[in-house]
Each structure stands twice: as C-alpha cells, then as structure tokens.
C-alpha cells in the first residue's frame, strides 16, 4: 500500500511540475517581488537603518527576504489546488485507483521544488548585491533544512486555503498576511527599535526566531535557543496544517 501511494505521488508530482515548467514565469514572478524589496531596502532605505550588527545591510535582511519569497510562492499552490478542484480533476482522480493522499502530497512537493528554485534565484541576486557569508557547509545545510521546513509548513496552510476558498482570488489572498509578517519581525530592523507592544509581538512571533537562526548560521555564529524556538514553531504549524488539510480534503472529495 505504501509503495502504491509513493508511486502515485511521484506520477502526480511530475504532472504538477510539468505545469510549472510550461510556465516558468510563476517562479520568476515569485522571485521578482522579494528581489524588488531587497533592492529597495539596500539602495534606498538601508542607509538610514541602523542594525547594530556590524555587518552589511544585505547580509542582515536576506533571511527575511527569503521568507517573503516562500510566502509569495505558496500562493501558487493554493491557486493550483483550487483550479484542480474547480475543474473536477480531483473527482476524476477519486474514481481511479489512486491513493487519496498522493493528490495533496503532489501539490506540496511541487511547491517545495518551485520555492527552493525561487530561493536560489534570490540568493544569487543577493550575492551580486554584496551578500557574503562565513557559513560552513554544515551551516548551509542547516539553512536549507530550515527553509525546507518553513516551505512545508506554509504549503500545508496553502492547501487549507485552496480547499476552503470560494474564488480564485480567495485562494491566494491568504498569503498576504504571511508576506507581511516578516515586516513585523527582526527581518529588517532590530525589534528593540520598535514601540513596546509591537516589539513584544515581533519578539514572540515565529518569523523572528526563524530569521535570527538563519542570520546566525550565515554569520557563522552560535544559534542558541532561537533554533529550538524556530523548530518548535515550524513543526507545530506543519502538524496542525497537515491535520486540518487532510481532514478538509476528506470532506471535500469524500
């Protein structure tokens, strides 16, 4: 049974990836907005922002820009799933000997692949802007793992939105708060520069823990307790998103 589900997931994932490959503009579009934000902050606003980190501003803000990239990209997962449901493809799959879980996992794995490509594009532009890192290969692997976990957690939220939406616009609108959340974190300015209530929120929301962890890894510094806080947030969101999404899917397609 497990082998059957894995085979079905592989086939459906390749189907979804072909759609992405036929319209690579989705990946490019996903990367354009974060790159524009990075250019704006580095060349226009960065000179007026004091981070106290002793490093270049592009080094400081890159982790937050990478999270914005992922938040932008998962909106396409919600959109593609909504289109599959509206087009009746999910119902046709139900009439075939296909593992039920493979339909959702195909969208999730496609999201992971597409978002990692977008992240690589953004890092490439950051290198051109002067981003430098002393991260070891192991630290780079840790960064990749955290970004993968972040993508999976947000993608399962996107699946929930795709299953619940009534319109195409509604399917992708859920991503707007996720894109905005890094601006209320330590991604662009230190949290202690914010007003009291906002600083408290910024300190205790998941994006700050993730950003600080990635920033420390890029700088070759100890990550401390921030790593465990980031992992706890991401694993918790991932589990809740997975449980709710699979429950909604069972109710939606039977």
């Amino acid at each position: 049974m497990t082998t059957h589900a894995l085979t079905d997931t592989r086939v459906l994932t390749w189907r979804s990836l072909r759609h992405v490959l036929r319209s690579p503009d989705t990946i490019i579009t996903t990367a354009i907005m974060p790159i524009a934000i990075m250019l704006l902050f580095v060349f226009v606003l960065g000179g007026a922002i004091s981070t106290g980190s002793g490093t270049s501003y592009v080094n400081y803000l890159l982790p937050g820009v990478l999270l914005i990239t992922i938040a932008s990209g998962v909106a396409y997962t919600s959109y593609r799933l909504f289109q599959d449901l509206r087009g009746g493809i999910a119902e046709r799959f139900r009439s075939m000997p296909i593992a039920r879980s493979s339909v959702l996992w195909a969208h999730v794995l496609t999201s992971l692949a597409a978002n990692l490509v977008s992240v690589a594009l953004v890092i490439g532009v950051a290198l051109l802007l002067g981003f430098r890192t002393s991260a070891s290969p192991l630290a780079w692997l840790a960064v990749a793992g955290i970004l993968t976990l972040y993508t999976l957690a947000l993608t399962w939220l996107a699946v929930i939105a795709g299953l619940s939406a009534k319109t195409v616009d509604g399917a992708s609108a859920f991503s707007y708060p996720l894109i905005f959340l890094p601006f209320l974190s330590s991604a662009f300015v230190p949290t202690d520069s914010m007003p009291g209530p906002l600083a408290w929120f910024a300190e205790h929301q998941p994006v700050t823990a993730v950003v600080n962890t990635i920033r420390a890894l890029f700088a070759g510094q100890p990550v401390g307790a921030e790593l465990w806080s980031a992992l706890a947030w991401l694993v918790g969101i991932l589990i809740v998103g997975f449980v709710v999404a699979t429950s909604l899917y069972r109710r939606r397609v039977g």
Side-chain angles (χ1 to χ4, degrees):
M1 186 66 177
T2 301
T3 304
H4 174 58
L6 290 175
T7 301
D8 291 342
T9 300
R10 177 177 58 80
V11 172
L12 292 178
T13 300
W14 178 237
R15 165 189 170 268
S16 295
L17 284 172
R18 282 203 307 270
H19 291 167
V20 175
L21 292 172
R22 287 171 185 162
S23 57
D25 56 298
T26 58
I27 294 178
I28 296 172
T29 302
T30 297
I32 282 177
M33 184 187 70
I35 289 173
I37 290 173
M38 186 162 55
L39 292 171
L40 173 66
F41 273 86
V42 170
F43 292 114
V44 179
L45 304 176
I49 297 175
S50 174
T51 63
S53 63
T55 186
S56 67
Y57 190 56
V58 67
N59 282 22
Y60 186 88
L61 65 80
L62 180 60
V65 173
L66 295 179
L67 300 193
I68 291 174
T69 304
I70 294 169
S72 302
V74 298
Y76 286 101
T77 300
S78 180
Y79 168 78
R80 285 190 291 263
L81 179 57
F82 177 83
Q83 293 289 63
D84 277 358
L85 292 170
R86 189 175 70 170
I89 294 176
E91 283 73 14
R92 287 199 289 273
F93 285 155
R94 186 178 59 175
S95 66
M96 301 167 66
I98 293 176
R100 178 184 297 171
S101 62
S102 63
V103 176
L104 293 186
W105 275 108
H107 283 284
V108 170
L109 294 176
T110 299
S111 171
L112 179 60
N115 277 292
L116 290 181
V117 172
S118 297
V119 163
L121 288 174
V122 172
I123 291 176
V125 173
L127 288 169
L128 295 175
L129 295 179
F131 168 68
R132 297 296 180 265
T133 174
S134 56
S136 65
L138 188 59
W140 270 105
L141 189 61
V143 169
I146 292 171
L147 292 176
T148 296
L149 191 58
Y150 190 83
T151 303
L152 290 173
L154 264 59
T155 298
W156 281 109
L157 296 183
V159 170
I160 295 173
L163 292 170
S164 307
K166 305 299 182 184
T167 65
V168 172
D169 291 337
S172 56
F174 89 99
S175 65
Y176 299 153
L178 300 179
I179 293 170
F180 184 67
L181 202 55
F183 292 97
L184 302 178
S185 74
S186 63
F188 296 97
V189 296
T191 56
D192 57 14
S193 67
M194 302 176 183
L198 184 57
W200 183 91
F201 174 79
E203 280 289 342
H204 295 89
Q205 61 120 322
V207 169
T208 291
V210 176
V211 163
N212 290 346
T213 299
I214 295 175
R215 188 178 289 140
L217 289 168
F218 276 149
Q221 298 172 351
V223 293
E226 294 273 26
L227 172 63
W228 304 113
S229 177
L231 291 178
W233 272 110
L234 296 181
V235 171
I237 293 170
L238 175 59
I239 292 173
V240 171
F242 172 78
V243 171
V244 174
T246 51
S247 176
L248 282 173
Y249 184 68
R250 285 194 208 98
R251 282 189 230 157
R252 183 76 183 264
V253 302

